[in-house]
């Protein structure tokens, strides 16, 4: 199935007529961009990124009728703002979890000495990050969403 970019009016009509089709349109137009932005700019894990994206989908579908949208730019800004707010919530949630963990150096464990080198070099993870990240979950989600379109 070939992706065809939709206007904000088309997406809003899809959401009103059939939430699933509206979700597919939002995912196709914004999902991959959000995924890459969260992974690259916020250094989030893939699981946390998907949680943020799903929460964004839910928030958009639940609250989009509360907005008076006047243009494509306004629509794009609202969706991005909702996405960023979910990113911040996730980041703060993770930050609270990290603060509760007490780390102990290897040298402090039962008086044993640390003989191994546990440092991670700067280029260790370079192969894992490319210009566009394609995850297995992203492919599976796209296939599932494509199947939603064909059901009628």
């Amino acid at each position: 199935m070939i992706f065809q970019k939709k206007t904000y009016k088309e997406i809003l009509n899809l959401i009103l007529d059939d939430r699933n089709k509206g979700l597919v349109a939002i995912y196709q137009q914004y999902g991959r961009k959000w995924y890459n932005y969260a992974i690259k700019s916020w250094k989030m894990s893939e699981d946390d990124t998907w949680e943020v994206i799903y929460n964004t989908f839910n928030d958009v579908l639940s609250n989009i009728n509360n907005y008076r949208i006047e243009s494509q730019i306004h629509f794009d800004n609202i969706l991005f703002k909702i996405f960023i707010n979910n990113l911040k919530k996730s980041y703060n949630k993770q930050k609270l979890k990290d603060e509760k963990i007490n780390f102990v150096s290897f040298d402090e464990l039962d008086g044993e000495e640390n003989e191994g080198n546990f440092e991670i070099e700067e280029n260790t993870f370079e192969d894992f990050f490319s210009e566009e990240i394609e995850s297995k979950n992203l492919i599976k989600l796209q296939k599932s969403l494509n199947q939603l379109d064909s059901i009628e």
Side-chain angles (χ1 to χ4, degrees):
M1 178 176 201
I2 298 173
F3 165 67
Q4 185 175 13
K5 189 172 181 176
K6 297 185 178 357
T7 66
Y8 77 97
K9 289 180 181 180
E10 291 172 323
I11 293 173
L12 290 174
N13 287 333
L14 282 173
I15 291 170
L16 290 174
D17 294 341
D18 182 352
R19 289 173 61 95
N20 287 338
K21 288 183 180 181
L23 175 63
V24 169
I26 292 170
Y27 166 76
Q28 288 177 333
Q29 200 147 321
Y30 302 96
R32 188 166 288 174
K33 293 175 189 174
W34 292 342
Y35 178 85
N36 286 324
Y37 181 79
I39 294 283
K40 289 180 182 181
S41 298
W42 287 68
K43 309 289 189 239
M44 295 185 79
S45 71
E46 187 172 345
D47 289 339
D48 290 341
T49 298
W50 281 115
E51 184 178 337
V52 168
I53 291 172
Y54 292 144
N55 288 337
T56 302
F57 289 154
N58 185 46
D59 291 348
V60 168
L61 293 175
S62 300
N63 300 318
I64 200 68
N65 293 329
N66 297 337
Y67 295 97
R68 195 175 114 196
I69 300 169
E70 299 170 3
S71 68
Q72 183 68 47
I73 293 172
H74 187 215
F75 181 73
D76 293 343
N77 287 340
I78 288 170
L79 294 187
F80 190 69
K81 184 177 181 180
I82 293 170
F83 173 67
I84 290 296
N85 285 339
N86 282 315
L87 273 174
K88 289 177 182 177
K89 285 180 202 172
S90 178
Y91 176 79
N92 288 333
K93 182 177 159 185
Q94 186 62 42
K95 192 173 157 184
L96 283 175
K97 282 183 189 176
D98 291 344
E99 287 177 0
K100 293 178 182 176
I101 299 173
N102 292 326
F103 292 98
V104 179
S105 73
F106 287 104
D107 293 332
E108 295 175 18
L109 294 175
D110 298 326
E112 299 174 14
E113 290 194 24
N114 178 13
E115 294 182 19
N117 180 8
F118 294 102
E119 292 183 22
I120 297 175
E121 297 176 13
E122 288 182 28
N123 62 353
T124 302
F125 298 105
E126 283 180 9
D127 295 339
F128 294 104
F129 297 104
S130 62
E131 199 55 35
E132 181 157 325
I133 300 166
E134 191 70 32
S135 77
K136 291 177 185 176
N137 289 336
L138 188 64
I139 294 168
K140 288 178 186 175
L141 178 61
Q142 181 63 53
K143 286 180 182 178
S144 297
L145 290 172
N146 287 344
Q147 289 176 353
L148 286 175
D149 272 348
S150 63
I151 298 174
E152 291 192 33

